[in-house]
């Protein structure tokens, strides 16, 4: 990591710990309107213009390990599947036969030299090209070259594959910007998939996303866990363009090490800074990852309906070599899930509150500015004019967004932050 940027984060942490109030010039933030969490029309706009037009993490390379390996994926509400082609490229397609719409993949995952619709037998190769169908003689001038499966934009950062339903979307790395740079720090092309689980929660997805944007809640619900070693008052927050951000929280005791990673292999060459502080990366709209040398959990928040959601927890780490997963991983995952349960305990109750007349809006403080940044970005993507006036979140933080120069520095010149 750039030494100048590391020092800037440390300086900000020191400032945050000692400040007596928000920095000079920080604006008073309007309340976040509660209707944004419950209004059906707003929810529809959010799905169509943000979720269906954003790059989102989907699968790890290990989930399609061999040529012909495939896995279904439906987190965006669309029937998709990934498959590794004979050229070793991972592609994503709509799970929709070009004949009459039946699925071409019916198992959750598997391996095949191609995929065949079980309805009428149309067959596609691993590149999605239509290669065979029954009774071709009965189709008049059917151009098979135009009847391949509909492909979805799919790009990767190392072994992590992202998708975007918008065929006109900018390239993944351009979209992620500094978030992609930070992922590169842990060499994602070397990380294996250690574990993956999904948890259903009865609340709007934004309610739980909000909780992972701030450390203001640590002393209330994490008293016996995270608050024992993290100093929330020293949290350094950086807002980036396009809704991305980071939150870097110092340990209460200098030199503290996470006992849960003792003995686990680490990514070679990772800056020690990532081991000596809690570095939480956020890629808009739903990707949260505490970056660490011994592997990273990635939390993805998915809307299922207007009042239900799923949180996925993925674990990526350097390989431990041959043999079963070390037992220490079981403890590490369990400890993390226990902390996550603390975060989830009020989600369904908050959902009931935002549905009631007792909640009009959320007043946010300086520590919670990442939440405001997220909502303001959502309005930009929907189109501010299309958001009902009483539900708008005007951009108040433009002057507080940090611009990052991602141009590679020349070998003879020091990098600039």
């Amino acid at each position: 990591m750039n030494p100048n940027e590391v020092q800037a984060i440390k300086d900000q942490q020191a400032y945050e710990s000692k400040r007596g109030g928000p920095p000079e010039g920080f604006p008073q933030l309007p309340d976040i309107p509660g209707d944004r969490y419950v209004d059906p029309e707003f929810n529809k706009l959010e799905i169509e213009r943000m979720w269906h037009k954003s790059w989102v993490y989907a699968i790890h390379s290990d989930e399609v390990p061999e040529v012909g390996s495939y896995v279904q994926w439906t987190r965006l509400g669309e029937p998709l599947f990934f498959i590794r082609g004979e050229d070793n490229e991972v592609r994503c397609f709509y799970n929709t036969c070009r004949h009459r719409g039946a699925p071409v993949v019916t198992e959750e995952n598997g391996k095949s030299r191609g995929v065949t619709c079980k309805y009428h037998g149309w067959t596609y190769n691993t590149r999605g090209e239509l290669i065979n169908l029954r009774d071709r003689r009965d189709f008049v001038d059917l151009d098979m070259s135009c009847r391949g499966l509909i492909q979805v934009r799919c790009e990767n950062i190392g072994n992590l594959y992202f998708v975007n339903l918008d065929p006109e979307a900018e390239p993944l790395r351009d979209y992620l910007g500094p978030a992609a740079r930070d992922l590169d720090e842990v060499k994602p092309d070397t990380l294996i998939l250690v574990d993956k689980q999904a948890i259903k929660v009865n609340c709007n997805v934004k309610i739980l996303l909000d909780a992972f944007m701030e450390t203001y809640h640590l002393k209330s619900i994490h008293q016996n866990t995270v608050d024992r070693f993290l100093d929330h008052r020293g949290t350094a927050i950086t807002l980036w363009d396009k809704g991305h951000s980071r939150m870097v929280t110092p340990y209460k005791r200098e030199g503290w090490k996470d006992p849960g990673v003792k003995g686990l292999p680490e990514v070679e060459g990772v800056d020690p800074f990532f081991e000596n502080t809690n570095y939480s990366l956020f890629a808009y709209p739903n990707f949260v990852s505490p970056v660490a040398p011994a592997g990273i959990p990635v939390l993805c928040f998915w809307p299922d309906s207007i009042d239900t959601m799923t949180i996925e927890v993925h674990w990526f780490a350097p390989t431990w070599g041959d043999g079963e997963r070390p037992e220490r991983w079981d403890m590490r995952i369990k400890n993390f899930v226990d902390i996550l349960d603390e975060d989830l305990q009020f989600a369904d109750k908050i959902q009931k509150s935002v549905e009631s007349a007792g909640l009009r809006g959320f007043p946010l403080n300086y520590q919670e500015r990442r939440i405001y940044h997220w909502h303001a970005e959502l309005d930009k993507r929907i189109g501010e004019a299309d958001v009902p006036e009483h539900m708008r979140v005007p951009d108040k933080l433009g002057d507080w967004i940090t611009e990052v120069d991602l141009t590679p520095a020349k070998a003879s010149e020091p990098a600039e932050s």
Side-chain angles (χ1 to χ4, degrees):
M1 192 172 182
N2 187 313
N4 294 335
E5 189 167 6
V6 169
Q7 188 59 51
I9 294 172
K10 291 180 178 179
D11 291 346
Q12 187 186 357
Q13 288 177 332
Y15 163 79
E16 296 290 345
S17 295
K18 296 178 180 178
R19 64 179 175 81
E24 183 178 354
F26 186 78
Q28 181 179 3
L29 300 176
D31 287 9
I32 301 295
D35 284 350
R36 295 169 68 92
Y37 299 77
V38 296
D39 183 80
E41 291 303 314
F42 184 85
N43 183 73
K44 183 179 179 181
L45 287 171
E46 179 182 319
I47 296 294
E48 292 177 351
R49 301 190 188 180
M50 189 274 282
W51 289 100
H52 286 185
K53 291 182 178 292
S54 297
W55 282 103
V56 292
Y57 171 74
I59 68 165
H60 185 279
S61 178
D62 288 351
E63 296 179 70
V64 284
E66 302 173 296
V67 171
S69 296
Y70 63 83
V71 60
Q72 290 198 56
W73 194 82
T74 59
R75 289 297 179 203
L76 288 174
E78 296 286 339
L80 310 179
F81 75 98
F82 293 84
I83 187 167
R84 187 178 292 275
E86 294 176 1
D87 55 0
N88 208 40
E89 182 176 341
V90 176
R91 296 177 175 85
C92 181
F93 298 100
Y94 282 94
N95 188 15
T96 304
C97 180
R98 294 299 303 281
H99 177 221
R100 281 168 52 192
V104 296
V105 168
T106 54
E107 301 295 329
E108 288 300 313
N109 55 71
K111 181 182 177 182
S112 175
R113 292 181 1 186
V115 293
T116 301
C117 170
K118 305 298 189 296
Y119 197 6
H120 295 101
W122 283 36
T123 300
Y124 306 83
N125 62 21
T126 58
R127 296 184 298 277
E129 298 163 338
L130 178 62
I131 57 174
N132 199 11
L133 67 153
R134 290 197 205 107
D135 300 334
R136 193 183 310 179
R137 64 182 184 178
D138 289 334
F139 287 89
V140 178
D141 295 331
L142 178 69
D143 185 353
M144 292 176 58
S145 68
C146 298
R147 301 290 178 171
L149 296 173
I150 302 300
Q151 192 165 347
V152 176
R153 290 284 299 279
C154 174
E155 297 179 20
N156 63 299
I157 304 290
N159 290 330
L160 280 59
Y161 283 84
F162 294 70
V163 292
N164 194 321
L165 296 181
D166 180 7
E168 304 301 321
E170 64 183 321
L172 172 64
R173 280 192 172 273
D174 291 348
Y175 172 80
L176 291 178
R181 175 206 60 182
D182 283 4
L183 281 176
D184 287 337
E185 291 282 346
V186 289
K187 299 179 173 57
D189 57 323
T190 69
L191 302 181
I192 66 170
L193 176 63
V194 177
D195 190 73
K196 177 180 179 179
Q197 56 182 294
I199 303 169
K200 299 284 187 180
V201 187
N202 292 323
C203 71
N204 182 275
V205 67
K206 296 185 290 296
I207 288 174
L208 203 52
L209 267 168
D210 290 350
F212 284 79
M213 297 280 187
E214 44 86 4
T215 54
Y216 186 49
H217 67 279
L218 260 59
K219 295 199 75 65
S220 298
I221 67 174
H222 296 305
Q223 293 178 5
N224 297 316
T225 54
V226 180
D227 186 56
R228 294 171 61 185
F229 55 87
L230 288 185
D231 177 14
H232 82 280
R233 291 174 63 87
T235 298
I237 287 174
T238 306
L239 305 180
W240 289 318
D241 190 25
K242 300 175 185 174
H244 311 310
S245 62
R246 72 177 172 207
M247 183 169 64
V248 189
T249 307
Y251 296 129
K252 287 184 173 179
R253 188 173 73 251
E254 186 174 353
W256 183 89
K257 304 293 183 184
D258 182 359
V261 303
K262 185 177 181 180
L264 294 177
E266 296 187 351
V267 178
E268 294 183 5
V270 174
D271 193 303
F273 177 69
F274 289 98
E275 187 177 8
N276 297 322
T277 193
N278 185 272
Y279 194 106
S280 181
L281 171 68
F282 179 75
Y284 199 91
N286 70 332
F287 180 106
V288 175
S289 181
V291 180
I296 59 173
V298 169
L299 291 82
C300 293
F301 302 77
W302 302 107
D304 293 329
S305 69
I306 194 170
D307 58 3
T308 62
M309 61 154 296
T310 297
I311 179 171
E312 280 185 335
V313 184
H314 313 256
W315 283 94
F316 310 125
T319 181
W320 51 80
D322 298 330
E324 298 293 324
R325 187 173 77 188
E327 291 184 6
R328 182 164 291 275
W329 266 109
D330 297 334
M331 180 181 70
R332 187 181 183 192
I333 292 170
K334 180 185 182 302
N335 289 344
F336 190 85
V337 172
D338 287 345
I339 295 170
L340 183 58
D341 284 342
E342 294 174 342
D343 286 303
L344 303 182
Q345 62 181 301
F346 295 118
D348 59 337
K349 300 172 181 63
I350 295 174
Q351 178 64 35
K352 294 299 182 185
S353 292
V354 296
E355 292 172 353
S356 77
L359 190 141
R360 310 296 170 83
F362 299 126
L364 300 179
N365 67 25
Y366 170 70
Q367 291 185 41
E368 299 168 300
R369 60 194 181 277
R370 291 172 87 210
I371 299 175
Y372 195 94
H373 185 50
W374 192 97
H375 283 268
E377 177 66 22
L378 176 58
D379 281 19
K380 292 177 185 177
R381 299 194 184 202
I382 290 175
E384 295 177 359
D386 291 333
V387 177
E389 186 173 359
H390 72 284
M391 282 191 275
R392 291 176 187 168
V393 175
D395 183 9
K396 295 287 187 178
L397 295 173
D399 293 339
W400 297 83
I401 293 176
T402 299
E403 294 185 9
V404 180
D405 183 5
L406 298 175
T407 304
K410 296 180 181 179
S412 59
E413 297 177 351
E416 296 181 357
S417 60

